[in-house]
Amino acid sequence: QVQLVESGGGLVQTGGSLRLSCAASGRIFSINDMGWYRQAPGKQRELVAAITTGGHTNYADSVKGRFTISRENVKNTVYLQMNSLKAEDTAVYYCKARGSTAARPFENRDYWGQGTQVTVSS
């Protein structure tokens, strides 16, 4: 009932930038925390950045100072601006949103996007 549509992934050179977008749609009652996770080959999925409805943010140490998460609540959209990209940033990036549906407006669940590949070349 809630779908997350991601865009913006691709191939960039070391030091380049990408901007990821993720929009939630469906029978949404509310969207609360949103965030980005990534998973590189052979590694666990890890939190990259998260943002609350009030704008409080949290970043992984590895991306602090390089990535910026933001959101537009009226559009249920979250962004991840990635600057100074490194080869170690190569991963599949997943959007996550916590929210509720119109059918169960006070029952929050986590919803995940399909993932988008970010590849940083040497």
Side-chain angles (χ1 to χ4, degrees), residues 23-40:
S25 62
R27 299 182 66 245
I28 297 170
F29 180 80
S30 67
I31 295 293
N32 302 307
D33 293 354
M34 303 186 79
W36 293 93
Y37 291 70
R38 68 186 182 188
Q39 187 166 24

Side-chain angles (χ1 to χ4, degrees), residues 8-11 18 20 39 41 89-93 115-120:
L11 173 65
L18 282 175
L20 305 183
Q39 187 166 24
D89 296 318
T90 296
V92 177
Y93 283 70
T116 184
Q117 179 71 46
V118 171
T119 302
V120 184

Side-chain angles (χ1 to χ4, degrees), residues 79-97:
Y79 306 93
L80 185 67
Q81 178 66 48
M82 304 185 293
N83 298 326
S84 302
L85 283 162
K86 307 174 181 178
E88 65 186 37
D89 296 318
T90 296
V92 177
Y93 283 70
Y94 297 90
C95 176
K96 190 188 81 171

Side-chain angles (χ1 to χ4, degrees), residues 1-2 25-31 99-109 111:
Q1 295 183 355
V2 177
S25 62
R27 299 182 66 245
I28 297 170
F29 180 80
S30 67
I31 295 293
S100 61
T101 65
R104 304 294 298 271
F106 51 86
E107 185 172 293
N108 288 319
R109 298 287 186 181
Y111 300 91

Side-chain angles (χ1 to χ4, degrees), residues 38 47-49 59-68 89 93:
R38 68 186 182 188
L47 173 70
V48 177
Y59 297 93
D61 288 341
S62 59
V63 307
K64 189 78 173 183
R66 299 188 297 121
F67 292 9
T68 302
D89 296 318
Y93 283 70

